[in-house]
């Protein structure tokens, strides 16, 4: 299982200045498996195009 690790906010973050003085920012990193895409759009689609299994429920 891939584990995320906390990392410092990138110094060139466009979000950091918007929240100066607030502790609202978190940054995490993972090591991608060998052969995995490093294309951000591909990774985002893989992460967000399907609803998480723990969040599935029937609405009637």
């Amino acid at each position: 299982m891939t584990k995320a690790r906390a990392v410092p906010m990138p110094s060139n973050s466009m979000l950091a200045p918007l929240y100066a003085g607030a502790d609202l920012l978190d940054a995490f990193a993972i090591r991608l498996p060998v052969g995995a895409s490093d294309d951000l759009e591909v990774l985002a689609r893989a992460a967000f195009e399907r609803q998480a299994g723990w969040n599935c429920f029937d609405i009637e």
Side-chain angles (χ1 to χ4, degrees):
M1 173 184 275
T2 301
K3 294 188 178 186
R5 60 183 168 82
V7 295
M9 183 59 61
S11 61
N12 61 347
S13 168
M14 296 176 67
L15 295 176
L18 300 175
Y19 297 100
D23 186 15
L24 302 175
L25 299 174
D26 295 313
F28 294 88
I30 62 167
R31 184 175 310 273
L32 294 174
V34 173
S37 175
D38 62 355
D39 181 300
L40 185 56
E41 183 175 350
V42 171
L43 295 170
R45 286 181 186 276
F48 298 118
E49 72 182 359
R50 289 185 264 333
Q51 186 176 28
W54 52 263
N55 196 24
C56 293
F57 53 90
D58 293 325
I59 299 177
E60 294 182 20

